[in-house]
């Protein structure tokens, strides 16, 4: 029985083997909790000020361009400078933006335009930071522990995603937006202190300066790898067509369940964390492309059901199942990325990864808000879910190498493993 339980529970090896991974795990837990507080408080404040689903959805449009520009540049930057410095400075910048939200919320009559300005600034800093964070994982965690590390990161992220939205809904309702932003500031302050303890992560001695040519080199590499293209395209399509979060406040009103708004935001994370906490078996799977396809299809099907049913508890269950599907797809994407991309391109490809899993939700907010204003809230949700299912099926058929990906036989995965083993052996020789 003990052996069976150990096979299901998350593999904790990365936490035991890497001090920097432990620090990043705790840092991410703290900052995610505060970030989710602001993520919920910001659209709620826009809704309170305007009462318009289009105004809430427009936040995604405002965030899109900074995310694209700074995400690509952040990837090139991560290959050229110390990744620890990038993480540290962007965390401090995000804390300052949260302080601006607090100041605006404390005004007798809070202004609308600063909310969009801060949303754009947060998107820019996140675009700079995420490639440095994502590309650091493959350096600090052993190659055979990458899936386990992705699962542990998912547990960390989802803990914040569950507690943050649930508490944010209560805090905004009973204590106001300013209190939620204050909690966010405290989270970033603690995060900066933890980042100061990370080991330096300098670029390679022959690293090139950030440039359009370097970004183009990373894009050409991604375009030449059908497996990578499949991970990007499926995630982008799933989020564009079936990301309903931005219209949850209106769904809660329509279902006469305003009390459940925080649970709507948290339900997907609950499903994700349940899958993450039972993810021990994923470390023994080699066909990670199937994770991507089946997980995205489950997401689309569950979102369709969430938009179709009208009983609040059934809707919440469907959203939880959607979150589990998204988590399964995310584990597959993260593992493929870290197993196959060479170190010298890791930052630039991480920048492209940021676009693949961030631009989709931003565009999805615009799609959902616009469609809800035209067809109504629930058709915007179930219609998007059906479109997600169709697009995942078409992409899987068009990119069969993603479906057949096997970590034990893929040439890029084998080459990356050999590079990591050689680097580890060289470091051990120098230490000896």
């Amino acid at each position: 029985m003990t052996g069976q339980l150990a096979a299901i529970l998350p593999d904790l090896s990365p936490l035991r083997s890497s001090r920097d991974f432990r620090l990043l795990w705790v840092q991410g837990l703290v900052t995610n909790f505060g970030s989710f507080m602001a993520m919920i408080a910001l659209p709620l404040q826009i809704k309170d000020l305007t009462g318009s689903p289009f105004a809430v959805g427009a936040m995604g449009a405002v965030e899109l361009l900074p995310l694209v520009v700074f995400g690509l540049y952040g990837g090139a930057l991560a290959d050229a400078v110390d990744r620890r410095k990038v993480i540290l400075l962007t965390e401090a910048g995000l804390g300052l933006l949260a302080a601006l939200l607090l100041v605006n919320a404390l005004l007798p009559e809070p202004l609308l335009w600063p909310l969009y300005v801060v949303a754009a600034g947060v998107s820019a800093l996140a675009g700079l930071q995420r490639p440095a964070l994502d590309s650091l994982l493959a350096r600090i965690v052993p190659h055979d522990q990458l899936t386990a590390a992705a699962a542990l990161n998912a547990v960390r992220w989802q803990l914040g995603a569950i507690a943050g939205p649930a508490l944010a809904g209560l805090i905004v309702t009973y204590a106001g937006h300013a209190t939620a932003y204050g909690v966010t500031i405290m989270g970033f302050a603690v995060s900066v202190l933890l980042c100061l303890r990370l080991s330096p992560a300098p670029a390679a001695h022959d690293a090139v300066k950030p440039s359009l040519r370097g970004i183009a080199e990373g894009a050409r590499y991604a375009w030449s790898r059908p497996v990578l293209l499949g991970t990007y395209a499926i995630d982008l399509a799933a989020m564009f067509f079936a990301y309903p979060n931005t219209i949850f406040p209106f769904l809660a009103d329509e279902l006469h369940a305003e009390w459940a708004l925080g649970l709507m935001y948290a339900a997907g994370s609950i499903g994700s964390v349940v899958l993450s906490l039972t993810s021990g078996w994923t470390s023994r799977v080699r066909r990670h492309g199937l994770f991507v396809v089946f997980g995205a299809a489950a997401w689309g099907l569950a979102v369709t059901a969430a938009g179709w049913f009208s009983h609040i508890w059934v809707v919440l269950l469907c959203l939880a199942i959607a979150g589990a599907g998204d988590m399964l797809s995310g584990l597959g994407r993260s593992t493929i990325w870290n197993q196959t991309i060479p170190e010298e391109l890791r930052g630039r490809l991480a920048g492209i990864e940021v676009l693949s899993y961030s631009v989709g939700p931003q565009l999805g907010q615009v799609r959902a808000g616009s469609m809800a204003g035209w067809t109504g809230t629930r058709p915007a949700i179930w219609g998007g879910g059906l479109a997600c299912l169709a697009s995942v099926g078409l992409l899987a058929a068009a990119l069969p190498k993603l479906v057949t990906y096997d970590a034990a036989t893929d040439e890029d995965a084998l080459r990356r493993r050999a590079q990591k083993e050689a680097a580890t052996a060289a470091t051990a020789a120098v230490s000896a």
Side-chain angles (χ1 to χ4, degrees), residues 39-311:
M39 184 187 300
I40 303 307
L42 187 55
L44 279 176
Q45 191 173 15
I46 294 176
K47 174 181 177 288
D48 291 344
L49 291 174
T50 67
S52 167
F54 178 78
V56 177
M59 189 173 68
V62 169
E63 294 170 333
L64 181 58
L65 182 60
L67 183 63
V68 171
V69 173
F70 288 92
L72 290 173
Y73 181 76
L77 191 67
D79 282 336
V81 302
D82 190 323
R83 292 167 186 171
R84 171 181 173 272
K85 291 181 179 179
V86 176
I87 297 168
L88 178 62
L89 292 175
T90 50
E91 281 292 285
L94 289 167
L96 290 176
L97 290 177
L100 292 178
L101 289 175
L102 174 60
V103 171
N104 183 63
L106 291 173
L107 294 176
E109 294 185 6
L111 302 172
L112 178 62
W113 65 265
L115 303 183
Y116 290 111
V117 171
V118 170
V122 169
S123 184
L125 289 176
L128 285 175
Q129 183 188 80
R130 287 306 297 265
L133 272 173
D134 293 347
S135 61
L136 190 59
L137 183 65
R139 178 180 291 191
I140 64 176
V141 173
H143 187 86
D144 59 353
Q145 296 177 11
L146 289 172
T147 302
L152 290 171
N153 278 343
V155 171
R156 176 204 68 193
W157 192 86
Q158 299 299 345
L159 288 175
I162 293 170
L167 290 179
L170 294 174
I171 289 175
V172 171
T173 300
Y174 295 105
H177 300 94
T179 303
Y181 297 141
V183 173
T184 301
I185 294 170
M186 290 188 290
F188 281 117
V190 174
S191 175
V192 167
L193 293 176
L194 290 169
C195 287
L196 287 170
R197 300 185 58 197
L198 289 171
S199 303
H205 69 279
D206 56 349
V208 297
K209 293 182 178 180
S211 65
L212 291 176
R213 178 178 295 180
I215 294 172
E217 181 184 0
R220 283 194 298 270
Y221 179 87
W223 185 259
S224 68
R225 299 301 192 272
V227 173
L228 291 179
L229 277 181
T231 65
Y232 301 146
I234 284 182
D235 187 46
L236 183 63
M239 293 298 103
F240 173 73
F241 287 116
Y243 188 78
N245 294 35
T246 192
I247 54 176
F248 279 167
F250 302 94
L251 179 62
D253 290 345
E254 188 169 319
L255 297 179
H256 306 291
E258 292 83 356
W259 56 270
L261 178 59
L263 292 175
M264 286 184 181
Y265 283 111
S269 299
I270 292 172
S272 295
V273 81
V274 168
L275 189 137
S276 300
L277 290 174
T278 57
S279 63
W281 60 276
T282 62
S283 294
R284 299 183 295 277
V285 175
R286 304 181 312 190
R287 300 285 299 278
H288 303 105
L290 294 178
F291 282 7
V292 178
V293 174
F294 289 154
W299 162 268
L301 181 61
V303 169
T304 301
W308 186 260
F309 291 107
S310 57
H311 193 287

Side-chain angles (χ1 to χ4, degrees), residues 5-29:
L5 186 62
I8 296 175
L9 294 177
D11 183 355
L12 303 181
S13 299
L15 289 171
R16 291 191 291 265
S17 64
S18 174
R19 171 185 174 273
D20 281 340
F21 182 77
R22 290 194 297 273
L23 283 172
L24 281 177
W25 197 91
V26 176
Q27 172 267 336
L29 180 64

Side-chain angles (χ1 to χ4, degrees), residues 221-235 286-290 292-293 332-333 335-337 339-341 395 398-407 410-413:
Y221 179 87
W223 185 259
S224 68
R225 299 301 192 272
V227 173
L228 291 179
L229 277 181
T231 65
Y232 301 146
I234 284 182
D235 187 46
R286 304 181 312 190
R287 300 285 299 278
H288 303 105
L290 294 178
V292 178
V293 174
R333 294 194 307 272
T335 302
I336 290 173
W337 294 340
Q339 282 183 342
T340 62
I341 297 172
L395 287 168
L399 297 165
K401 286 191 176 182
L402 173 64
V403 180
T404 59
Y405 173 85
D406 189 326
D410 182 83
E411 292 183 1
D412 289 327

